[in-house]
Amino acid sequence: MNIHEFQAKELFVKFGVASAPGRVARTPAEAEAAAQELKSSDLVVKAQIHAGGRGKGTFKNGFKGGVHLCKTPAEAKELSSKMLGQTLVTHQTGPEGKMVNQVLIATGVDIAKEYYLAILTDRATSAPIVIASTEGGVDIETVAEKTPDKIFHEPVHPLLGLQPYQARKIAGLLGFQGAQFRQFSDLLLALYRLFIGCDCSMVEINPLVVTPDGKVLALDAKFNFDDNALFRHPDILAMRDTNEEDPREVEASKFGLNYIGLDGNIACLVNGAGLAMATMDIIQYAGGKPANFLDVGGGASKDQVSAAFKIILADPQVKGILVNIFGGIMDCNVIATGIVAAAREIGLKIPLVVRLEGNNVAAGKTTLADSGIAITSAEDLADAAKKIVAAVAAATE
Ligand code: ADP
Ligand code: MG
Protein backbone atom coordinates (compact mmCIF):
# COMPACT_ATOMS: atom_id res chain seq x y z
CA MET A 1 0.00 0.00 0.00
CA ASN A 2 1.12 3.56 -0.72
CA ILE A 3 0.18 6.81 1.00
CA HIS A 4 0.18 10.47 0.03
CA GLU A 5 2.96 12.89 0.87
CA PHE A 6 0.77 14.82 3.35
CA GLN A 7 0.13 11.56 5.21
CA ALA A 8 3.82 10.67 5.12
CA LYS A 9 4.48 14.04 6.74
CA GLU A 10 2.32 12.99 9.71
CA LEU A 11 4.58 9.96 10.15
CA PHE A 12 7.65 12.18 9.82
CA VAL A 13 6.37 14.31 12.69
CA LYS A 14 5.57 11.25 14.81
CA PHE A 15 9.04 9.74 14.32
CA GLY A 16 11.02 12.98 14.41
CA VAL A 17 12.12 13.17 10.76
CA ALA A 18 12.71 16.86 9.99
CA SER A 19 10.64 18.17 7.07
CA ALA A 20 8.84 21.34 5.94
CA PRO A 21 5.51 21.87 7.75
CA GLY A 22 2.42 21.43 5.60
CA ARG A 23 -1.34 20.96 5.45
CA VAL A 24 -3.64 19.16 3.07
CA ALA A 25 -6.40 20.98 1.15
CA ARG A 26 -9.26 19.67 -0.92
CA THR A 27 -10.65 22.96 -2.23
CA PRO A 28 -9.00 26.25 -3.28
CA ALA A 29 -10.56 27.92 -0.20
CA GLU A 30 -9.04 25.27 2.08
CA ALA A 31 -5.72 25.85 0.33
CA GLU A 32 -5.89 29.57 1.09
CA ALA A 33 -6.73 28.90 4.74
CA ALA A 34 -3.94 26.31 5.01
CA ALA A 35 -1.45 28.81 3.57
CA GLN A 36 -2.58 31.45 6.09
CA GLU A 37 -2.08 29.01 8.98
CA LEU A 38 1.48 28.27 7.87
CA LYS A 39 2.37 31.96 8.39
CA SER A 40 5.17 31.85 5.87
CA SER A 41 5.99 34.11 2.97
CA ASP A 42 7.44 31.12 1.12
CA LEU A 43 4.91 28.51 0.15
CA VAL A 44 4.69 25.51 -2.11
CA VAL A 45 1.57 23.88 -3.60
CA LYS A 46 2.01 20.19 -4.39
CA ALA A 47 -0.42 17.88 -6.19
CA GLN A 48 -1.09 14.77 -4.10
CA ILE A 49 -1.10 11.59 -6.16
CA HIS A 50 0.46 8.18 -5.64
CA ALA A 51 3.17 8.75 -8.23
CA GLY A 52 6.46 10.57 -8.52
CA GLY A 53 7.70 12.99 -11.14
CA ARG A 54 5.02 15.53 -10.18
CA GLY A 55 7.35 18.51 -10.48
CA LYS A 56 8.02 17.75 -14.16
CA GLY A 57 4.48 16.51 -14.89
CA THR A 58 1.83 18.23 -17.03
CA PHE A 59 -1.91 18.44 -16.42
CA LYS A 60 -4.25 17.31 -19.17
CA ASN A 61 -5.64 20.87 -19.24
CA GLY A 62 -2.19 22.06 -20.32
CA PHE A 63 -1.11 23.50 -16.95
CA LYS A 64 2.55 22.62 -16.42
CA GLY A 65 3.98 21.18 -13.19
CA GLY A 66 2.42 19.54 -10.13
CA VAL A 67 4.71 21.43 -7.72
CA HIS A 68 4.70 25.26 -7.60
CA LEU A 69 6.34 27.77 -5.34
CA CYS A 70 4.46 30.92 -4.39
CA LYS A 71 4.40 33.75 -1.85
CA THR A 72 0.85 34.46 -0.69
CA PRO A 73 -2.28 32.57 0.37
CA ALA A 74 -4.11 34.13 -2.60
CA GLU A 75 -1.52 32.67 -4.99
CA ALA A 76 -1.78 29.28 -3.24
CA LYS A 77 -5.54 29.41 -3.78
CA GLU A 78 -5.11 30.32 -7.46
CA LEU A 79 -2.56 27.53 -8.07
CA SER A 80 -4.73 24.96 -6.26
CA SER A 81 -7.69 25.84 -8.44
CA LYS A 82 -5.59 24.93 -11.50
CA MET A 83 -4.64 21.52 -10.03
CA LEU A 84 -7.66 20.27 -8.08
CA GLY A 85 -10.04 18.14 -10.10
CA GLN A 86 -7.48 17.93 -12.94
CA THR A 87 -5.55 14.96 -14.26
CA LEU A 88 -1.79 15.06 -13.85
CA VAL A 89 0.40 13.01 -16.18
CA THR A 90 3.96 12.17 -15.06
CA HIS A 91 6.48 9.59 -16.24
CA GLN A 92 5.20 7.33 -13.44
CA THR A 93 1.44 7.63 -14.01
CA GLY A 94 1.28 6.33 -17.57
CA PRO A 95 -0.48 8.35 -20.30
CA GLU A 96 -3.86 8.12 -18.53
CA GLY A 97 -2.52 10.21 -15.63
CA LYS A 98 -4.00 10.56 -12.15
CA MET A 99 -6.79 12.77 -10.87
CA VAL A 100 -5.66 15.31 -8.26
CA ASN A 101 -8.22 15.37 -5.44
CA GLN A 102 -6.05 17.13 -2.87
CA VAL A 103 -3.02 19.36 -2.67
CA LEU A 104 -0.38 19.81 -0.01
CA ILE A 105 0.32 23.39 1.03
CA ALA A 106 3.75 23.46 2.63
CA THR A 107 6.38 25.93 3.66
CA GLY A 108 8.70 26.64 0.77
CA VAL A 109 12.37 26.34 1.59
CA ASP A 110 15.50 27.62 -0.14
CA ILE A 111 17.62 24.76 -1.37
CA ALA A 112 21.42 24.85 -1.26
CA LYS A 113 21.87 21.18 -2.25
CA GLU A 114 19.63 18.18 -2.98
CA TYR A 115 20.38 14.58 -1.93
CA TYR A 116 18.69 11.21 -2.36
CA LEU A 117 17.93 8.94 0.58
CA ALA A 118 15.96 5.70 0.74
CA ILE A 119 15.56 2.63 2.91
CA LEU A 120 14.14 -0.49 1.35
CA THR A 121 14.08 -4.24 1.65
CA ASP A 122 16.92 -5.73 -0.35
CA ARG A 123 15.65 -8.91 -1.95
CA ALA A 124 19.16 -10.25 -2.43
CA THR A 125 19.92 -10.25 1.31
CA SER A 126 16.34 -10.27 2.65
CA ALA A 127 17.32 -7.37 4.88
CA PRO A 128 16.92 -3.60 4.93
CA ILE A 129 19.38 -1.48 2.99
CA VAL A 130 20.04 2.26 3.04
CA ILE A 131 20.63 3.87 -0.34
CA ALA A 132 21.96 7.42 -0.49
CA SER A 133 23.34 9.73 -3.12
CA THR A 134 24.66 13.24 -3.51
CA GLU A 135 22.72 13.41 -6.80
CA GLY A 136 19.26 14.13 -5.42
CA GLY A 137 16.25 15.80 -6.95
CA VAL A 138 16.77 14.04 -10.25
CA ASP A 139 15.80 10.68 -11.58
CA ILE A 140 17.77 8.19 -9.44
CA GLU A 141 17.49 5.52 -12.16
CA THR A 142 19.55 7.74 -14.47
CA VAL A 143 22.17 8.27 -11.75
CA ALA A 144 22.31 4.49 -11.18
CA GLU A 145 22.85 3.93 -14.89
CA LYS A 146 25.30 6.73 -15.74
CA THR A 147 27.21 7.33 -12.49
CA PRO A 148 26.65 4.30 -10.23
CA ASP A 149 29.67 5.29 -8.09
CA LYS A 150 27.64 8.25 -6.81
CA ILE A 151 25.18 5.93 -5.08
CA PHE A 152 26.08 4.49 -1.69
CA HIS A 153 24.61 1.26 -0.30
CA GLU A 154 24.67 0.34 3.38
CA PRO A 155 23.15 -3.04 4.30
CA VAL A 156 21.50 -3.22 7.72
CA HIS A 157 21.47 -6.25 10.01
CA PRO A 158 17.77 -7.02 10.46
CA LEU A 159 18.08 -7.88 14.18
CA LEU A 160 20.60 -5.25 15.22
CA GLY A 161 19.03 -2.48 13.16
CA LEU A 162 20.78 0.57 11.71
CA GLN A 163 23.69 1.41 13.98
CA PRO A 164 24.70 5.02 14.73
CA TYR A 165 28.17 4.37 13.23
CA GLN A 166 26.49 3.35 9.97
CA ALA A 167 24.46 6.58 9.90
CA ARG A 168 27.69 8.53 10.49
CA LYS A 169 29.44 6.57 7.76
CA ILE A 170 26.74 7.53 5.23
CA ALA A 171 26.81 11.14 6.44
CA GLY A 172 30.56 11.12 5.76
CA LEU A 173 30.20 9.54 2.31
CA LEU A 174 27.68 12.24 1.36
CA GLY A 175 30.16 14.90 2.47
CA PHE A 176 28.18 16.30 5.42
CA GLN A 177 30.17 18.22 8.00
CA GLY A 178 29.66 19.97 11.32
CA ALA A 179 26.05 20.57 12.38
CA GLN A 180 24.68 19.02 9.16
CA PHE A 181 26.62 15.80 9.83
CA ARG A 182 24.75 15.42 13.12
CA GLN A 183 21.40 16.52 11.70
CA PHE A 184 21.66 14.06 8.83
CA SER A 185 22.65 11.12 11.09
CA ASP A 186 19.74 11.87 13.43
CA LEU A 187 17.32 12.15 10.50
CA LEU A 188 18.49 8.83 9.03
CA LEU A 189 18.20 7.02 12.39
CA ALA A 190 14.69 8.46 12.86
CA LEU A 191 13.79 7.38 9.34
CA TYR A 192 14.99 3.86 10.08
CA ARG A 193 12.82 3.74 13.23
CA LEU A 194 9.89 4.80 11.07
CA PHE A 195 10.73 2.20 8.41
CA ILE A 196 10.76 -0.64 10.97
CA GLY A 197 8.03 0.74 13.24
CA CYS A 198 5.52 1.07 10.39
CA ASP A 199 6.53 -2.14 8.56
CA CYS A 200 7.48 -0.25 5.40
CA SER A 201 8.92 -2.00 2.40
CA MET A 202 10.30 1.31 1.10
CA VAL A 203 10.72 4.90 2.17
CA GLU A 204 12.22 7.24 -0.38
CA ILE A 205 13.14 10.89 0.12
CA ASN A 206 14.04 12.64 -3.11
CA PRO A 207 15.09 15.29 -2.44
CA LEU A 208 16.53 15.51 1.02
CA VAL A 209 17.89 19.05 1.13
CA VAL A 210 20.26 21.33 2.95
CA THR A 211 19.04 24.91 3.18
CA PRO A 212 21.40 27.92 2.88
CA ASP A 213 21.02 28.42 6.65
CA GLY A 214 22.16 24.85 7.29
CA LYS A 215 18.99 22.85 7.96
CA VAL A 216 18.70 19.25 6.74
CA LEU A 217 15.10 18.52 5.68
CA ALA A 218 13.13 15.79 3.92
CA LEU A 219 11.21 17.59 1.15
CA ASP A 220 9.50 14.68 -0.58
CA ALA A 221 8.23 11.33 0.70
CA LYS A 222 7.28 8.16 -1.12
CA PHE A 223 6.26 5.30 1.17
CA ASN A 224 5.40 1.71 0.51
CA PHE A 225 4.05 -0.61 3.19
CA ASP A 226 4.17 -4.36 3.48
CA ASP A 227 0.51 -5.28 2.93
CA ASN A 228 0.89 -8.45 4.99
CA ALA A 229 1.76 -6.39 8.07
CA LEU A 230 -0.98 -3.77 7.71
CA PHE A 231 -3.23 -5.59 10.17
CA ARG A 232 -0.83 -4.36 12.87
CA HIS A 233 -1.29 -0.72 11.79
CA PRO A 234 -4.94 0.32 11.71
CA ASP A 235 -3.84 3.99 11.71
CA ILE A 236 -1.84 3.45 8.52
CA LEU A 237 -4.52 1.32 6.91
CA ALA A 238 -6.89 4.24 7.51
CA MET A 239 -4.65 6.31 5.18
CA ARG A 240 -5.45 4.06 2.24
CA ASP A 241 -6.84 6.07 -0.68
CA THR A 242 -8.73 3.69 -2.95
CA ASN A 243 -9.15 6.50 -5.54
CA GLU A 244 -5.48 5.93 -6.32
CA GLU A 245 -5.83 2.21 -6.91
CA ASP A 246 -7.06 0.11 -9.81
CA PRO A 247 -10.83 -0.24 -9.10
CA ARG A 248 -10.63 -3.92 -10.08
CA GLU A 249 -7.98 -4.49 -7.42
CA VAL A 250 -9.98 -2.58 -4.79
CA GLU A 251 -13.01 -4.78 -5.48
CA ALA A 252 -10.91 -7.97 -5.39
CA SER A 253 -9.32 -7.01 -2.07
CA LYS A 254 -12.81 -6.83 -0.49
CA PHE A 255 -13.14 -10.55 -1.16
CA GLY A 256 -9.61 -11.49 -0.12
CA LEU A 257 -8.65 -12.29 -3.71
CA ASN A 258 -5.14 -11.96 -5.00
CA TYR A 259 -5.73 -9.83 -8.09
CA ILE A 260 -3.47 -7.66 -10.21
CA GLY A 261 -4.84 -5.89 -13.28
CA LEU A 262 -2.78 -6.07 -16.49
CA ASP A 263 -3.29 -4.63 -19.94
CA GLY A 264 -4.06 -7.70 -22.09
CA ASN A 265 -7.50 -9.04 -23.02
CA ILE A 266 -7.54 -12.65 -21.75
CA ALA A 267 -8.67 -12.87 -18.15
CA CYS A 268 -7.40 -15.75 -15.99
CA LEU A 269 -8.98 -17.33 -12.94
CA VAL A 270 -6.55 -19.71 -11.32
CA ASN A 271 -5.93 -21.33 -7.94
CA GLY A 272 -2.41 -20.89 -6.62
CA ALA A 273 0.08 -18.13 -7.42
CA GLY A 274 2.54 -20.45 -9.18
CA LEU A 275 -0.14 -21.87 -11.43
CA ALA A 276 -1.41 -18.34 -12.11
CA MET A 277 2.09 -17.28 -13.22
CA ALA A 278 2.40 -20.37 -15.41
CA THR A 279 -1.03 -19.65 -16.92
CA MET A 280 -0.06 -16.07 -17.78
CA ASP A 281 3.18 -17.34 -19.35
CA ILE A 282 1.45 -19.95 -21.45
CA ILE A 283 -1.18 -17.47 -22.68
CA GLN A 284 1.66 -15.26 -23.82
CA TYR A 285 3.43 -18.25 -25.36
CA ALA A 286 0.28 -19.11 -27.30
CA GLY A 287 0.25 -15.57 -28.71
CA GLY A 288 -2.26 -13.92 -26.33
CA LYS A 289 -1.99 -11.31 -23.61
CA PRO A 290 -3.26 -11.79 -20.05
CA ALA A 291 -5.69 -9.18 -18.67
CA ASN A 292 -4.89 -10.00 -15.08
CA PHE A 293 -3.21 -12.16 -12.51
CA LEU A 294 -5.84 -13.76 -10.30
CA ASP A 295 -5.21 -16.34 -7.64
CA VAL A 296 -8.40 -17.38 -5.88
CA GLY A 297 -6.31 -19.29 -3.36
CA GLY A 298 -6.29 -22.85 -2.12
CA GLY A 299 -9.56 -22.75 -0.19
CA ALA A 300 -11.78 -20.26 -2.02
CA SER A 301 -15.53 -20.31 -1.38
CA LYS A 302 -18.25 -20.28 -4.02
CA ASP A 303 -18.88 -16.59 -3.21
CA GLN A 304 -15.23 -15.69 -3.72
CA VAL A 305 -15.14 -17.47 -7.05
CA SER A 306 -18.34 -15.77 -8.05
CA ALA A 307 -16.94 -12.35 -7.02
CA ALA A 308 -13.75 -13.04 -8.97
CA PHE A 309 -15.74 -13.92 -12.04
CA LYS A 310 -17.82 -10.77 -11.75
CA ILE A 311 -14.72 -8.57 -11.49
CA ILE A 312 -13.41 -10.18 -14.66
CA LEU A 313 -16.71 -9.78 -16.50
CA ALA A 314 -17.05 -6.14 -15.45
CA ASP A 315 -13.76 -5.30 -17.19
CA PRO A 316 -14.57 -4.00 -20.72
CA GLN A 317 -11.04 -4.82 -21.84
CA VAL A 318 -11.58 -8.57 -21.26
CA LYS A 319 -12.42 -10.45 -24.49
CA GLY A 320 -12.09 -14.00 -23.21
CA ILE A 321 -11.63 -15.99 -19.99
CA LEU A 322 -9.41 -18.89 -19.14
CA VAL A 323 -10.20 -20.79 -15.95
CA ASN A 324 -7.37 -23.06 -14.93
CA ILE A 325 -7.95 -25.05 -11.76
CA PHE A 326 -5.86 -27.81 -10.32
CA GLY A 327 -7.94 -29.10 -7.46
CA GLY A 328 -5.88 -30.12 -4.44
CA ILE A 329 -7.48 -28.64 -1.36
CA MET A 330 -9.71 -26.79 -3.82
CA ASP A 331 -12.81 -28.70 -4.80
CA CYS A 332 -13.36 -28.36 -8.59
CA ASN A 333 -17.10 -28.35 -8.07
CA VAL A 334 -16.91 -25.25 -5.82
CA ILE A 335 -15.22 -23.42 -8.68
CA ALA A 336 -17.73 -24.71 -11.20
CA THR A 337 -20.69 -23.68 -9.03
CA GLY A 338 -19.23 -20.20 -8.48
CA ILE A 339 -18.63 -19.68 -12.20
CA VAL A 340 -22.14 -20.82 -13.12
CA ALA A 341 -23.73 -18.57 -10.47
CA ALA A 342 -21.83 -15.49 -11.68
CA ALA A 343 -22.35 -16.23 -15.37
CA ARG A 344 -26.10 -16.63 -14.78
CA GLU A 345 -26.29 -13.40 -12.82
CA ILE A 346 -24.37 -11.22 -15.26
CA GLY A 347 -24.62 -13.13 -18.51
CA LEU A 348 -21.62 -14.43 -20.40
CA LYS A 349 -21.04 -12.86 -23.80
CA ILE A 350 -17.38 -13.73 -24.32
CA PRO A 351 -15.57 -17.06 -24.86
CA LEU A 352 -14.84 -19.10 -21.72
CA VAL A 353 -12.35 -21.97 -21.70
CA VAL A 354 -12.14 -24.12 -18.59
CA ARG A 355 -9.50 -26.59 -17.62
CA LEU A 356 -10.36 -28.49 -14.45
CA GLU A 357 -8.24 -31.24 -12.96
CA GLY A 358 -7.98 -33.00 -9.60
CA ASN A 359 -10.22 -33.03 -6.54
CA ASN A 360 -13.87 -33.75 -7.44
CA VAL A 361 -13.28 -32.95 -11.11
CA ALA A 362 -16.09 -35.17 -12.38
CA ALA A 363 -18.75 -33.30 -10.37
CA GLY A 364 -17.26 -29.97 -11.49
CA LYS A 365 -17.43 -30.94 -15.15
CA THR A 366 -21.02 -32.12 -14.73
CA THR A 367 -22.01 -28.80 -13.10
CA LEU A 368 -20.53 -26.89 -16.03
CA ALA A 369 -22.02 -29.21 -18.67
CA ASP A 370 -25.49 -29.11 -17.09
CA SER A 371 -25.48 -25.31 -16.74
CA GLY A 372 -26.38 -24.65 -20.35
CA ILE A 373 -23.66 -21.98 -20.49
CA ALA A 374 -21.35 -21.96 -23.54
CA ILE A 375 -18.12 -23.32 -22.12
CA THR A 376 -15.21 -24.84 -24.00
CA SER A 377 -13.42 -27.45 -21.95
CA ALA A 378 -9.72 -28.10 -22.32
CA GLU A 379 -7.57 -31.16 -21.73
CA ASP A 380 -4.48 -29.54 -20.33
CA LEU A 381 -2.81 -26.16 -19.88
CA ALA A 382 -1.35 -25.95 -23.41
CA ASP A 383 -4.66 -26.97 -24.95
CA ALA A 384 -6.50 -24.42 -22.81
CA ALA A 385 -4.17 -21.59 -23.83
CA LYS A 386 -4.42 -22.42 -27.54
CA LYS A 387 -8.21 -22.60 -27.35
CA ILE A 388 -8.72 -19.28 -25.56
CA VAL A 389 -6.24 -17.43 -27.79
CA ALA A 390 -7.99 -18.80 -30.90
CA ALA A 391 -11.46 -17.99 -29.54
CA VAL A 392 -10.47 -14.41 -28.65
CA ALA A 393 -8.80 -13.93 -32.04
CA ALA A 394 -11.98 -15.14 -33.78
CA ALA A 395 -14.22 -12.96 -31.58
CA THR A 396 -12.18 -9.76 -32.05
CA GLU A 397 -11.59 -10.01 -35.80
P1 ADP B 1 8.20 14.81 -7.37
O1 ADP B 1 9.35 13.95 -6.99
O2 ADP B 1 6.93 14.06 -7.45
O3 ADP B 1 8.47 15.64 -8.61
P2 ADP B 1 8.95 16.57 -5.15
O4 ADP B 1 8.31 16.61 -3.85
O5 ADP B 1 10.30 15.92 -5.21
O6 ADP B 1 7.95 15.88 -6.18
O7 ADP B 1 9.05 18.05 -5.72
C1 ADP B 1 9.71 18.40 -6.92
C2 ADP B 1 10.74 19.47 -6.65
O8 ADP B 1 10.11 20.61 -6.09
C3 ADP B 1 11.80 19.06 -5.65
O9 ADP B 1 12.88 18.40 -6.27
C4 ADP B 1 12.21 20.40 -5.04
O10 ADP B 1 13.21 20.98 -5.84
C5 ADP B 1 10.96 21.22 -5.12
N1 ADP B 1 10.26 21.26 -3.80
C6 ADP B 1 9.48 20.31 -3.27
N2 ADP B 1 9.03 20.65 -2.04
C7 ADP B 1 9.55 21.87 -1.79
C8 ADP B 1 9.46 22.80 -0.69
N3 ADP B 1 8.77 22.50 0.42
N4 ADP B 1 10.15 23.96 -0.80
C9 ADP B 1 10.87 24.25 -1.90
N5 ADP B 1 10.98 23.43 -2.96
C10 ADP B 1 10.34 22.26 -2.93
MG1 MG C 1 10.74 13.89 -5.59
Side-chain angles (χ1 to χ4, degrees):
M1 192 188 93
N2 300 323
I3 57 173
H4 289 291
E5 184 187 5
F6 74 89
Q7 297 165 320
K9 269 192 192 293
E10 290 172 22
L11 296 175
F12 278 170
V13 172
K14 191 167 158 195
F15 284 85
V17 177
S19 85
R23 295 191 174 24
V24 67
R26 293 180 178 86
T27 63
E30 273 181 33
E32 187 177 27
Q36 268 151 3
E37 279 176 45
L38 287 172
K39 298 194 178 18
S40 168
S41 56
D42 288 300
L43 297 160
V44 61
V45 182
K46 304 177 79 172
Q48 299 293 285
I49 52 170
H50 285 189
R54 294 165 301 169
K56 295 203 172 76
T58 304
F59 286 88
K60 282 199 171 160
N61 65 2
F63 186 60
K64 281 213 165 20
V67 177
H68 285 270
L69 294 164
C70 65
K71 294 281 177 195
T72 66
E75 283 175 300
K77 181 182 178 186
E78 170 69 19
L79 285 164
S80 305
S81 71
K82 294 200 171 108
M83 299 190 199
L84 287 163
Q86 302 297 331
T87 305
L88 178 59
V89 181
T90 80
H91 70 272
Q92 285 187 10
T93 61
E96 68 280 6
K98 280 198 180 259
M99 168 67 77
V100 177
N101 294 313
Q102 45 219 345
V103 290
L104 169 74
I105 311 295
T107 313
V109 299
D110 283 338
I111 300 173
K113 178 151 178 57
E114 297 186 310
Y115 298 81
Y116 175 94
L117 179 64
I119 307 176
L120 43 102
T121 306
D122 182 2
R123 286 172 195 273
T125 57
S126 308
I129 187 164
V130 177
I131 297 179
S133 175
T134 48
E135 308 305 295
V138 285
D139 192 7
I140 196 70
E141 286 80 8
T142 313
V143 183
E145 200 184 310
K146 302 224 167 101
T147 46
D149 52 307
K150 292 195 168 154
I151 299 182
F152 307 112
H153 302 256
E154 183 68 15
V156 181
H157 191 288
L159 296 179
L160 300 178
L162 183 71
Q163 297 296 303
Y165 82 86
Q166 293 181 291
R168 291 196 293 269
K169 179 176 154 194
I170 299 165
L173 287 168
L174 293 176
F176 284 111
Q177 287 177 341
Q180 286 74 47
F181 187 95
R182 178 64 187 270
Q183 280 186 58
F184 174 83
S185 314
D186 287 350
L187 187 149
L188 175 53
L189 289 165
L191 190 67
Y192 188 78
R193 282 192 292 276
L194 189 167
F195 176 84
I196 294 295
C198 298
D199 288 309
C200 298
S201 47
M202 184 196 79
V203 294
E204 182 187 62
I205 300 174
N206 189 22
L208 174 101
V209 302
V210 177
T211 63
D213 57 353
K215 286 202 209 78
V216 178
L217 299 171
L219 274 205
D220 188 10
K222 300 271 185 298
F223 283 33
N224 213 309
F225 298 92
D226 177 353
D227 290 353
N228 291 320
L230 279 174
F231 73 97
R232 309 205 278 210
H233 305 285
D235 51 330
I236 294 170
L237 195 54
M239 294 179 174
R240 181 170 175 194
D241 182 352
T242 49
N243 288 323
E244 295 286 327
E245 298 174 24
D246 184 327
R248 300 172 295 180
E249 289 175 18
V250 174
E251 189 61 20
S253 71
K254 287 187 201 152
F255 293 91
L257 298 163
N258 228 330
Y259 179 98
I260 295 162
L262 301 168
D263 55 10
N265 61 4
I266 299 177
C268 330
L269 188 151
V270 189
N271 66 324
L275 192 60
M277 296 299 278
T279 305
M280 291 174 11
D281 280 352
I282 205 152
I283 287 174
Q284 196 98 27
Y285 188 67
K289 269 189 160 282
N292 68 283
F293 167 96
L294 171 57
D295 168 18
V296 294
S301 67
K302 170 181 158 281
D303 290 344
Q304 277 179 304
V305 173
S306 189
F309 213 71
K310 282 182 199 162
I311 292 165
I312 286 174
L313 287 175
D315 185 346
Q317 172 186 298
V318 170
K319 303 291 179 240
I321 306 173
L322 172 54
V323 175
N324 182 24
I325 300 297
F326 192 85
I329 301 167
M330 189 80 227
D331 178 334
C332 288
N333 199 30
V334 168
I335 296 277
T337 319
I339 292 173
V340 170
R344 284 223 176 98
E345 200 178 311
I346 305 182
L348 180 69
K349 294 173 199 72
I350 51 175
L352 168 62
V353 174
V354 179
R355 180 254 180 164
L356 289 180
E357 199 54 80
N359 180 10
N360 211 13
V361 63
K365 285 189 171 163
T366 308
T367 301
L368 293 178
D370 292 351
S371 68
I373 299 166
I375 296 172
T376 308
S377 61
E379 289 310 311
D380 55 32
L381 193 40
D383 183 42
K386 267 187 226 139
K387 280 179 173 158
I388 191 64
V389 171
V392 167
T396 51
E397 248 165 31

